[in-house]
PDB file of all heavy atoms in Angstrom:
ATOM      1  N   PRO A   1     -14.062 -12.618  -4.102  1.00  0.00           N
ATOM      2  CA  PRO A   1     -15.282 -12.028  -3.567  1.00  0.00           C
ATOM      3  C   PRO A   1     -15.303 -12.116  -2.041  1.00  0.00           C
ATOM      4  O   PRO A   1     -14.688 -13.001  -1.444  1.00  0.00           O
ATOM      5  CB  PRO A   1     -16.409 -12.870  -4.183  1.00  0.00           C
ATOM      6  CG  PRO A   1     -15.762 -14.062  -4.757  1.00  0.00           C
ATOM      7  CD  PRO A   1     -14.302 -13.791  -4.907  1.00  0.00           C
ATOM      8  N   LEU A   2     -15.994 -11.154  -1.418  1.00  0.00           N
ATOM      9  CA  LEU A   2     -16.106 -11.145   0.034  1.00  0.00           C
ATOM     10  C   LEU A   2     -16.923 -12.332   0.515  1.00  0.00           C
ATOM     11  O   LEU A   2     -17.871 -12.745  -0.134  1.00  0.00           O
ATOM     12  CB  LEU A   2     -16.783  -9.855   0.499  1.00  0.00           C
ATOM     13  CG  LEU A   2     -16.030  -8.557   0.235  1.00  0.00           C
ATOM     14  CD1 LEU A   2     -16.886  -7.370   0.655  1.00  0.00           C
ATOM     15  CD2 LEU A   2     -14.713  -8.547   0.973  1.00  0.00           C
ATOM     16  N   ASP A   3     -16.546 -12.849   1.653  1.00  0.00           N
ATOM     17  CA  ASP A   3     -17.332 -13.907   2.283  1.00  0.00           C
ATOM     18  C   ASP A   3     -18.536 -13.270   2.957  1.00  0.00           C
ATOM     19  O   ASP A   3     -18.458 -12.148   3.472  1.00  0.00           O
ATOM     20  CB  ASP A   3     -16.503 -14.645   3.332  1.00  0.00           C
ATOM     21  CG  ASP A   3     -15.377 -15.451   2.714  1.00  0.00           C
ATOM     22  OD1 ASP A   3     -15.543 -15.915   1.568  1.00  0.00           O
ATOM     23  OD2 ASP A   3     -14.335 -15.611   3.374  1.00  0.00           O
ATOM     24  N   ALA A   4     -19.632 -13.983   2.954  1.00  0.00           N
ATOM     25  CA  ALA A   4     -20.835 -13.486   3.614  1.00  0.00           C
ATOM     26  C   ALA A   4     -20.570 -13.337   5.102  1.00  0.00           C
ATOM     27  O   ALA A   4     -19.957 -14.195   5.722  1.00  0.00           O
ATOM     28  CB  ALA A   4     -21.993 -14.438   3.369  1.00  0.00           C
ATOM     29  N   LYS A   5     -21.038 -12.237   5.678  1.00  0.00           N
ATOM     30  CA  LYS A   5     -20.842 -11.976   7.101  1.00  0.00           C
ATOM     31  C   LYS A   5     -22.098 -12.264   7.901  1.00  0.00           C
ATOM     32  O   LYS A   5     -22.102 -12.161   9.105  1.00  0.00           O
ATOM     33  CB  LYS A   5     -20.437 -10.513   7.319  1.00  0.00           C
ATOM     34  CG  LYS A   5     -19.200 -10.095   6.567  1.00  0.00           C
ATOM     35  CD  LYS A   5     -17.972 -10.811   7.058  1.00  0.00           C
ATOM     36  CE  LYS A   5     -16.747 -10.277   6.335  1.00  0.00           C
ATOM     37  NZ  LYS A   5     -15.695 -11.211   6.183  1.00  0.00           N
ATOM     38  N   GLY A   6     -23.173 -12.587   7.221  1.00  0.00           N
ATOM     39  CA  GLY A   6     -24.416 -12.846   7.922  1.00  0.00           C
ATOM     40  C   GLY A   6     -25.327 -13.718   7.083  1.00  0.00           C
ATOM     41  O   GLY A   6     -24.971 -14.134   5.981  1.00  0.00           O
ATOM     42  N   PRO A   7     -26.523 -13.972   7.584  1.00  0.00           N
ATOM     43  CA  PRO A   7     -27.445 -14.860   6.878  1.00  0.00           C
ATOM     44  C   PRO A   7     -27.966 -14.268   5.579  1.00  0.00           C
ATOM     45  O   PRO A   7     -28.104 -13.057   5.436  1.00  0.00           O
ATOM     46  CB  PRO A   7     -28.583 -15.066   7.876  1.00  0.00           C
ATOM     47  CG  PRO A   7     -28.511 -13.916   8.800  1.00  0.00           C
ATOM     48  CD  PRO A   7     -27.083 -13.486   8.843  1.00  0.00           C
ATOM     49  N   ASP A   8     -28.232 -15.142   4.638  1.00  0.00           N
ATOM     50  CA  ASP A   8     -28.849 -14.772   3.362  1.00  0.00           C
ATOM     51  C   ASP A   8     -30.330 -15.072   3.497  1.00  0.00           C
ATOM     52  O   ASP A   8     -30.718 -16.213   3.731  1.00  0.00           O
ATOM     53  CB  ASP A   8     -28.228 -15.600   2.235  1.00  0.00           C
ATOM     54  CG  ASP A   8     -28.816 -15.284   0.872  1.00  0.00           C
ATOM     55  OD1 ASP A   8     -29.731 -14.439   0.788  1.00  0.00           O
ATOM     56  OD2 ASP A   8     -28.352 -15.888  -0.107  1.00  0.00           O
ATOM     57  N   TYR A   9     -31.160 -14.052   3.383  1.00  0.00           N
ATOM     58  CA  TYR A   9     -32.598 -14.234   3.565  1.00  0.00           C
ATOM     59  C   TYR A   9     -33.302 -14.634   2.278  1.00  0.00           C
ATOM     60  O   TYR A   9     -34.514 -14.711   2.235  1.00  0.00           O
ATOM     61  CB  TYR A   9     -33.217 -12.960   4.150  1.00  0.00           C
ATOM     62  CG  TYR A   9     -32.587 -12.563   5.462  1.00  0.00           C
ATOM     63  CD1 TYR A   9     -31.870 -11.387   5.588  1.00  0.00           C
ATOM     64  CD2 TYR A   9     -32.688 -13.393   6.571  1.00  0.00           C
ATOM     65  CE1 TYR A   9     -31.275 -11.039   6.785  1.00  0.00           C
ATOM     66  CE2 TYR A   9     -32.090 -13.054   7.774  1.00  0.00           C
ATOM     67  CZ  TYR A   9     -31.391 -11.868   7.869  1.00  0.00           C
ATOM     68  OH  TYR A   9     -30.792 -11.536   9.047  1.00  0.00           O
ATOM     69  N   GLY A  10     -32.535 -14.888   1.224  1.00  0.00           N
ATOM     70  CA  GLY A  10     -33.114 -15.330  -0.040  1.00  0.00           C
ATOM     71  C   GLY A  10     -33.601 -14.169  -0.892  1.00  0.00           C
ATOM     72  O   GLY A  10     -33.541 -13.016  -0.503  1.00  0.00           O
ATOM     73  N   ASN A  11     -34.072 -14.509  -2.072  1.00  0.00           N
ATOM     74  CA  ASN A  11     -34.592 -13.507  -3.001  1.00  0.00           C
ATOM     75  C   ASN A  11     -36.056 -13.252  -2.660  1.00  0.00           C
ATOM     76  O   ASN A  11     -36.906 -14.104  -2.868  1.00  0.00           O
ATOM     77  CB  ASN A  11     -34.448 -14.008  -4.440  1.00  0.00           C
ATOM     78  CG  ASN A  11     -34.898 -12.976  -5.440  1.00  0.00           C
ATOM     79  OD1 ASN A  11     -35.081 -11.811  -5.104  1.00  0.00           O
ATOM     80  ND2 ASN A  11     -35.075 -13.398  -6.673  1.00  0.00           N
ATOM     81  N   ARG A  12     -36.325 -12.082  -2.107  1.00  0.00           N
ATOM     82  CA  ARG A  12     -37.678 -11.740  -1.693  1.00  0.00           C
ATOM     83  C   ARG A  12     -38.100 -10.474  -2.413  1.00  0.00           C
ATOM     84  O   ARG A  12     -37.510  -9.413  -2.185  1.00  0.00           O
ATOM     85  CB  ARG A  12     -37.737 -11.545  -0.177  1.00  0.00           C
ATOM     86  CG  ARG A  12     -37.300 -12.807   0.578  1.00  0.00           C
ATOM     87  CD  ARG A  12     -37.066 -12.579   2.050  1.00  0.00           C
ATOM     88  NE  ARG A  12     -36.107 -11.499   2.262  1.00  0.00           N
ATOM     89  CZ  ARG A  12     -36.203 -10.618   3.251  1.00  0.00           C
ATOM     90  NH1 ARG A  12     -37.173 -10.659   4.113  1.00  0.00           N
ATOM     91  NH2 ARG A  12     -35.299  -9.679   3.389  1.00  0.00           N
ATOM     92  N   PRO A  13     -39.082 -10.558  -3.294  1.00  0.00           N
ATOM     93  CA  PRO A  13     -39.514  -9.379  -4.061  1.00  0.00           C
ATOM     94  C   PRO A  13     -39.854  -8.199  -3.148  1.00  0.00           C
ATOM     95  O   PRO A  13     -40.552  -8.355  -2.152  1.00  0.00           O
ATOM     96  CB  PRO A  13     -40.750  -9.868  -4.810  1.00  0.00           C
ATOM     97  CG  PRO A  13     -40.597 -11.351  -4.879  1.00  0.00           C
ATOM     98  CD  PRO A  13     -39.867 -11.743  -3.620  1.00  0.00           C
ATOM     99  N   GLY A  14     -39.292  -7.044  -3.484  1.00  0.00           N
ATOM    100  CA  GLY A  14     -39.567  -5.833  -2.728  1.00  0.00           C
ATOM    101  C   GLY A  14     -38.703  -5.630  -1.510  1.00  0.00           C
ATOM    102  O   GLY A  14     -38.706  -4.565  -0.904  1.00  0.00           O
ATOM    103  N   MET A  15     -37.943  -6.659  -1.147  1.00  0.00           N
ATOM    104  CA  MET A  15     -37.102  -6.560   0.044  1.00  0.00           C
ATOM    105  C   MET A  15     -35.645  -6.353  -0.364  1.00  0.00           C
ATOM    106  O   MET A  15     -35.261  -6.612  -1.496  1.00  0.00           O
ATOM    107  CB  MET A  15     -37.248  -7.821   0.895  1.00  0.00           C
ATOM    108  CG  MET A  15     -38.669  -8.116   1.325  1.00  0.00           C
ATOM    109  SD  MET A  15     -39.475  -6.753   2.184  1.00  0.00           S
ATOM    110  CE  MET A  15     -38.753  -6.906   3.804  1.00  0.00           C
ATOM    111  N   ALA A  16     -34.841  -5.880   0.575  1.00  0.00           N
ATOM    112  CA  ALA A  16     -33.426  -5.629   0.309  1.00  0.00           C
ATOM    113  C   ALA A  16     -32.748  -6.908  -0.170  1.00  0.00           C
ATOM    114  O   ALA A  16     -33.010  -7.992   0.353  1.00  0.00           O
ATOM    115  CB  ALA A  16     -32.743  -5.108   1.564  1.00  0.00           C
ATOM    116  N   SER A  17     -31.890  -6.756  -1.159  1.00  0.00           N
ATOM    117  CA  SER A  17     -31.180  -7.914  -1.711  1.00  0.00           C
ATOM    118  C   SER A  17     -30.036  -8.323  -0.780  1.00  0.00           C
ATOM    119  O   SER A  17     -29.617  -7.569   0.099  1.00  0.00           O
ATOM    120  CB  SER A  17     -30.619  -7.575  -3.091  1.00  0.00           C
ATOM    121  OG  SER A  17     -29.566  -6.623  -2.964  1.00  0.00           O
ATOM    122  N   PHE A  18     -29.527  -9.515  -1.013  1.00  0.00           N
ATOM    123  CA  PHE A  18     -28.391 -10.011  -0.235  1.00  0.00           C
ATOM    124  C   PHE A  18     -27.201  -9.069  -0.387  1.00  0.00           C
ATOM    125  O   PHE A  18     -26.517  -8.762   0.593  1.00  0.00           O
ATOM    126  CB  PHE A  18     -28.030 -11.425  -0.688  1.00  0.00           C
ATOM    127  CG  PHE A  18     -26.859 -12.007   0.052  1.00  0.00           C
ATOM    128  CD1 PHE A  18     -26.964 -12.321   1.395  1.00  0.00           C
ATOM    129  CD2 PHE A  18     -25.656 -12.236  -0.586  1.00  0.00           C
ATOM    130  CE1 PHE A  18     -25.886 -12.856   2.094  1.00  0.00           C
ATOM    131  CE2 PHE A  18     -24.580 -12.769   0.097  1.00  0.00           C
ATOM    132  CZ  PHE A  18     -24.691 -13.080   1.439  1.00  0.00           C
ATOM    133  N   ALA A  19     -26.968  -8.579  -1.611  1.00  0.00           N
ATOM    134  CA  ALA A  19     -25.849  -7.666  -1.849  1.00  0.00           C
ATOM    135  C   ALA A  19     -26.025  -6.368  -1.052  1.00  0.00           C
ATOM    136  O   ALA A  19     -25.065  -5.857  -0.471  1.00  0.00           O
ATOM    137  CB  ALA A  19     -25.720  -7.365  -3.340  1.00  0.00           C
ATOM    138  N   GLN A  20     -27.252  -5.834  -1.019  1.00  0.00           N
ATOM    139  CA  GLN A  20     -27.507  -4.626  -0.238  1.00  0.00           C
ATOM    140  C   GLN A  20     -27.240  -4.879   1.249  1.00  0.00           C
ATOM    141  O   GLN A  20     -26.593  -4.071   1.915  1.00  0.00           O
ATOM    142  CB  GLN A  20     -28.957  -4.164  -0.396  1.00  0.00           C
ATOM    143  CG  GLN A  20     -29.270  -3.448  -1.678  1.00  0.00           C
ATOM    144  CD  GLN A  20     -30.730  -3.028  -1.727  1.00  0.00           C
ATOM    145  OE1 GLN A  20     -31.621  -3.827  -1.469  1.00  0.00           O
ATOM    146  NE2 GLN A  20     -30.965  -1.779  -2.069  1.00  0.00           N
ATOM    147  N   ILE A  21     -27.740  -5.996   1.749  1.00  0.00           N
ATOM    148  CA  ILE A  21     -27.578  -6.319   3.167  1.00  0.00           C
ATOM    149  C   ILE A  21     -26.101  -6.459   3.525  1.00  0.00           C
ATOM    150  O   ILE A  21     -25.643  -5.938   4.544  1.00  0.00           O
ATOM    151  CB  ILE A  21     -28.373  -7.592   3.520  1.00  0.00           C
ATOM    152  CG1 ILE A  21     -29.876  -7.290   3.466  1.00  0.00           C
ATOM    153  CG2 ILE A  21     -27.978  -8.137   4.887  1.00  0.00           C
ATOM    154  CD1 ILE A  21     -30.766  -8.505   3.591  1.00  0.00           C
ATOM    155  N   GLU A  22     -25.340  -7.139   2.682  1.00  0.00           N
ATOM    156  CA  GLU A  22     -23.907  -7.307   2.954  1.00  0.00           C
ATOM    157  C   GLU A  22     -23.179  -5.967   2.891  1.00  0.00           C
ATOM    158  O   GLU A  22     -22.281  -5.710   3.688  1.00  0.00           O
ATOM    159  CB  GLU A  22     -23.288  -8.305   1.976  1.00  0.00           C
ATOM    160  CG  GLU A  22     -23.632  -9.750   2.309  1.00  0.00           C
ATOM    161  CD  GLU A  22     -23.153 -10.170   3.689  1.00  0.00           C
ATOM    162  OE1 GLU A  22     -21.937 -10.118   3.966  1.00  0.00           O
ATOM    163  OE2 GLU A  22     -24.009 -10.539   4.506  1.00  0.00           O
ATOM    164  N   LEU A  23     -23.566  -5.091   1.949  1.00  0.00           N
ATOM    165  CA  LEU A  23     -22.942  -3.771   1.863  1.00  0.00           C
ATOM    166  C   LEU A  23     -23.273  -2.950   3.104  1.00  0.00           C
ATOM    167  O   LEU A  23     -22.404  -2.262   3.649  1.00  0.00           O
ATOM    168  CB  LEU A  23     -23.391  -3.042   0.596  1.00  0.00           C
ATOM    169  CG  LEU A  23     -22.803  -1.646   0.386  1.00  0.00           C
ATOM    170  CD1 LEU A  23     -21.278  -1.672   0.411  1.00  0.00           C
ATOM    171  CD2 LEU A  23     -23.311  -1.055  -0.918  1.00  0.00           C
ATOM    172  N   ILE A  24     -24.508  -3.028   3.580  1.00  0.00           N
ATOM    173  CA  ILE A  24     -24.889  -2.315   4.799  1.00  0.00           C
ATOM    174  C   ILE A  24     -24.055  -2.819   5.974  1.00  0.00           C
ATOM    175  O   ILE A  24     -23.534  -2.012   6.758  1.00  0.00           O
ATOM    176  CB  ILE A  24     -26.399  -2.469   5.067  1.00  0.00           C
ATOM    177  CG1 ILE A  24     -27.194  -1.688   4.009  1.00  0.00           C
ATOM    178  CG2 ILE A  24     -26.760  -2.004   6.474  1.00  0.00           C
ATOM    179  CD1 ILE A  24     -28.674  -2.007   3.982  1.00  0.00           C
TER     180      ILE A  24
END
């Protein structure tokens, strides 16, 4: 799996997921 390139903002309802943020 890819290593995270930035901070994980946690699971926040209604907000972009960690996977979405990393893909962006």
